[in-house]
Amino acid sequence: MKKNMGLLDRRIRVALAVIVVILFFTEFITGLLALVLIGIAAILLLTSSISFCPIYFPFKFSTRKKLKD
């Protein structure tokens, strides 16, 4: 599994996940919508922690900076 996420991409995903969690605990979002968004937030945190996005992989897309030789 080759890393395909850059630092900015990872930070944005973590920020979005934190916002969803805050909205959930302040009961701004509830019900099925809350559960779906918490699930998405968990996926965002997981992909950020391993620096790999499976959606990017089939399209050979990467937000990671190219390493110079």
Side-chain angles (χ1 to χ4, degrees):
M1 194 167 42
K2 188 176 180 182
K3 293 182 180 183
N4 61 5
M5 289 176 56
L7 183 61
L8 181 61
D9 191 3
R10 291 173 45 211
R11 286 184 177 174
I12 290 170
R13 288 169 185 249
V14 169
L16 289 173
V18 168
I19 290 169
V20 168
V21 169
I22 290 170
L23 291 175
F24 177 75
F25 282 115
T26 59
E27 295 182 0
F28 191 79
I29 55 173
T30 58
L32 183 61
L33 175 64
L35 295 176
V36 170
L37 290 177
I38 289 293
I40 292 170
I43 292 168
L44 291 174
L45 288 174
L46 176 66
T47 57
S48 294
S49 66
I50 61 174
S51 299
F52 178 77
C53 179
I55 295 173
Y56 290 175
F57 182 71
F59 301 106
K60 299 195 182 352
F61 182 74
S62 177
T63 59
R64 190 175 164 120
K65 289 184 180 179
K66 305 286 185 215
L67 297 176
K68 294 182 181 180
D69 293 331

